[in-house]
Amino acid sequence: QVQLVESGGGLVQAGGSLRLSCAASGRTFSNYFLGWFRQAPGKEREFVSAINWRGSMIYSADSVKGRFTISRDNAKNTVYLLMNSLKPEDTAVYYCAAGTGQAMGNIESQYDYWGQGTQVTVSS
């Protein structure tokens, strides 16, 4: 089992920045690929970004490319999401997730463990 706990959410003005963190405990963190998803009110959860176990491969949604950066620190068992140039449409609950399969991707079913989420609100 892997437990994931997100932090770093909050209220920010449009154009501002936030850095989300997701701390993992349980099994060996470096064995997993990690991802961030988000769910806005009234919408389905959507993929944001993912990173492989080594940090050498990153995959991001077009809507956040150039603004959001995913990274991981295996020594600290933590994955980060640095969000710059935030827009009101980025408002959502952000979830981190961990997967053990061979294919790192943007589909929820590829991920085995999920955090509880952290709220990000961007005001205009």
Side-chain angles (χ1 to χ4, degrees):
Q1 286 283 349
V2 173
Q3 292 78 42
L4 302 170
V5 179
E6 303 95 336
S7 62
L11 174 63
V12 63
Q13 289 187 334
S17 300
L18 281 175
R19 189 180 77 159
L20 305 182
S21 300
C22 176
S25 61
R27 292 187 176 179
T28 306
F29 181 76
S30 59
N31 290 346
Y32 295 82
F33 59 85
L34 301 163
W36 287 96
F37 289 74
R38 66 185 182 185
Q39 187 168 20
K43 295 186 177 181
E44 294 186 352
R45 188 155 56 184
E46 65 175 4
F47 170 77
V48 176
S49 191
I51 188 168
N52 71 336
W53 69 273
R54 192 184 302 176
S56 58
M57 293 178 58
I58 289 173
Y59 178 37
S60 296
D62 289 342
S63 59
V64 304
K65 283 181 180 177
R67 300 189 299 124
F68 291 10
T69 303
I70 190 172
S71 61
R72 66 188 292 168
D73 185 337
N74 289 342
K76 295 183 178 180
N77 287 355
T78 302
V79 60
Y80 305 97
L81 185 67
L82 176 61
M83 306 184 294
N84 294 322
S85 302
L86 282 162
K87 305 175 182 179
E89 51 264 44
D90 293 319
T91 295
V93 176
Y94 283 71
Y95 300 88
C96 71
T100 58
Q102 294 183 351
M104 177 185 78
N106 62 346
I107 302 173
E108 291 188 35
S109 60
Q110 293 174 299
Y111 294 82
D112 304 292
Y113 303 100
W114 293 82
Q116 294 300 306
T118 185
Q119 176 70 47
V120 172
T121 303
V122 184
S123 63
S124 57

